[in-house]
Amino acid sequence: MTSPDPDNRTGALAHVRVLDFTQLLQGPLATQILADLGADVIKVEKPGGEWMRHWGILASRTQGETDSFLAFNRNKRSVTVDLKDPATVRALLAASTDFDVVVENFRPGVMDRLGLGYDDFAEHNESIIYASSSGYGQDGPYVGRPGQDLLVQAMSGAMFLTGRAGDPPTPNGIGISDEYTGLHLTVAMLAALAHRDRTGEGQRVSVDLFSCTVAAQQQELTVHLNHGGPLDRAHEAIGHVGGTAPFGVYRAADGYLALAMTPCPVLGRALGVDWLDEFDTNEKMFQNRDRLHRRLSAHLAARTVAEWIHLLDASDVWCAPVQDYATLEQDPQVRHNDLIWSVPVGEDDTNTFRTVGTPFRFSRTPVTVRRGVPRAGQHNPEILPSLGIAGASAQDGELRHVR
């Protein structure tokens, strides 16, 4: 990656300013996407920084910050303020005329109690877009429940889709509810911006972990809702709960191979065997998937992954090697797509960390690293005066207010 250029506002959303009250994963992911696309995102944190600066997966840190925080906060500026201070609240509301979007992911009711709810901002800026993300929605029987990825996976039914028959309910290996909800939050904000550009109207939009995780199971729940009964997991490493043979993961001589949707007769011809020919319908391939997986496993164990890929590719059989992270890092498509970025932390460009870059590609408004990941309150001197708040320093987070 090239050195950051804070003044490079050529991204597709360079005209958008965002007041970002989010923390942890889903909200910061959404605002990082906006920031990557060019938006000016002002991250509002409590003195000392938001929760993710102090907690992250594997308890790992780079350049003094948790890797979890670094993963979701590039291209932003950070200010630290006390949201319980009335003068700070008044200043933020008054400054809202300079912003297009306000986004938060506190529990429902928190921002209203602080005096920073949608109605409070709309009173100062009728065209403001106010985006909220929560655990279960802004109201309803679960409104007071803690909204967290693992808990939502548990309540949404998703854990019964992963793993093999007989396994306990199995969560996804990544924070899939947070990630999927963060993407929905981004889409909601972009849709509201498009509506405002057409009509001049602002509005409140909201998404929640529970609804988005239920929606992520659209295909599986459609089967259940129309046919009833459980979606039984396979006994072998099929993967998807509805996968048909030869769908699944297989051990080769030196690693693992994944096979996707391929008619069994086609696979049989590629492998030079005839015992797959009788499984020539979708129903037969589903009903016999465990038995076929076991027999294919014995057959595929005889050669290396590379040998099988070479043979199967020649017959257009859908297959791929199962790569670990070390192999993925060296993958030629990862390098071609420039998916591993080096991003600065704080004010010194020499303090960097490596992370996953953006998947977006634009012909006229390319995505760039304009800024690194900010330290907590790094931009207090730069931003707080423009908001009507005078801060002492980025380090101590103590504020004096312009009244």
Side-chain angles (χ1 to χ4, degrees), residues 24-25 51-62 65-72 148-149 172-176 178-179 325 355-356:
L24 294 174
L25 197 162
W51 192 10
M52 194 75 104
R53 288 190 186 269
H54 311 288
W55 179 91
I57 63 168
L58 304 178
S60 62
R61 289 180 175 269
T62 302
E65 302 283 359
T66 67
D67 290 306
S68 292
F69 180 84
L70 294 175
F72 302 110
Q148 189 275 335
D149 187 282
N172 197 281
I174 63 173
I176 192 68
D178 274 324
E179 300 269 358
Y325 277 6
T355 189
V356 180

Side-chain angles (χ1 to χ4, degrees), residues 71-358:
F72 302 110
N73 286 285
R74 65 173 173 252
N75 277 330
K76 304 176 186 179
R77 294 187 284 172
S78 169
V79 295
T80 51
V81 299
D82 179 5
L83 295 181
K84 295 182 180 179
D85 182 86
T88 297
V89 171
R90 289 195 298 270
L92 291 171
L93 293 175
S96 67
T97 54
D98 295 328
F99 288 88
D100 302 283
V101 179
V102 173
V103 54
E104 58 89 16
N105 66 336
F106 289 101
R107 283 196 189 187
V110 169
M111 290 291 276
D112 288 315
R113 290 193 294 272
L114 291 170
L116 293 168
Y118 170 64
D119 291 337
D120 301 301
F121 276 98
E123 185 177 335
H124 290 77
N125 181 359
E126 291 183 353
S127 63
I128 199 73
I129 291 159
Y130 192 98
S132 299
S133 185
S134 62
Y136 301 93
Q138 295 301 305
D139 46 38
Y142 294 164
V143 69
R145 294 186 65 89
Q148 189 275 335
D149 187 282
L150 180 67
L151 306 182
V152 168
Q153 285 193 52
M155 294 189 68
S156 69
M159 288 189 184
F160 285 100
L161 302 179
T162 305
R164 305 185 190 189
D167 287 349
T170 305
N172 197 281
I174 63 173
I176 192 68
S177 295
D178 274 324
E179 300 269 358
Y180 198 63
T181 304
L183 293 175
H184 273 74
L185 181 58
T186 305
V187 172
M189 290 186 284
L190 294 176
L193 282 167
H195 174 79
R196 194 194 64 181
D197 288 346
R198 183 170 58 86
T199 66
E201 297 174 341
Q203 62 179 306
R204 181 173 190 178
V205 299
S206 64
V207 299
D208 65 87
L209 288 170
F210 185 68
S211 297
C212 288
T213 306
V214 171
Q217 302 167 73
Q218 193 139 353
Q219 180 179 210
E220 295 75 22
L221 275 168
T222 297
V223 172
H224 168 78
L225 293 171
N226 288 281
H227 301 281
L231 273 67
D232 294 328
R233 294 177 289 179
H235 289 275
E236 304 300 329
I238 303 298
H240 191 278
V241 68
T244 62
F247 201 99
V249 176
Y250 300 85
R251 186 172 193 121
D254 64 342
Y256 290 89
L257 173 75
L259 297 178
M261 296 84 68
T262 300
C264 279
V266 173
L267 177 62
R269 288 192 292 273
L271 296 177
V273 300
D274 58 11
W275 48 266
L276 288 169
D277 290 348
E278 65 175 288
F279 305 100
D280 55 359
T281 68
N282 195 55
E283 291 74 18
K284 290 179 182 178
M285 289 189 291
F286 178 75
Q287 293 165 3
N288 294 279
R289 60 182 180 170
D290 282 325
R291 180 161 65 92
L292 287 173
H293 190 284
R294 289 190 287 271
R295 189 164 183 182
L296 279 170
S297 293
H299 187 84
L300 295 172
R303 297 191 188 183
T304 67
V305 172
E307 288 174 324
W308 287 125
I309 295 289
H310 178 75
L311 176 68
L312 297 175
D313 277 349
S315 297
D316 197 28
V317 171
W318 291 9
C319 61
V322 178
Q323 300 188 142
D324 59 17
Y325 277 6
T327 307
L328 176 69
E329 185 179 348
Q330 303 302 321
D331 188 280
Q333 193 67 44
V334 167
R335 294 183 173 185
H336 177 81
N337 290 355
D338 190 26
L339 287 178
I340 306 298
W341 286 7
S342 180
V343 178
V345 182
E347 298 177 344
D348 188 349
D349 289 352
T350 62
N351 295 326
T352 63
F353 72 101
R354 301 176 72 220
T355 189
V356 180
T358 180

Side-chain angles (χ1 to χ4, degrees), residues 20-28 43 50-52 105-106:
D20 175 13
F21 294 94
T22 66
Q23 56 184 335
L24 294 174
L25 197 162
Q26 53 171 300
K43 184 176 180 69
E50 63 126 306
W51 192 10
M52 194 75 104
N105 66 336
F106 289 101

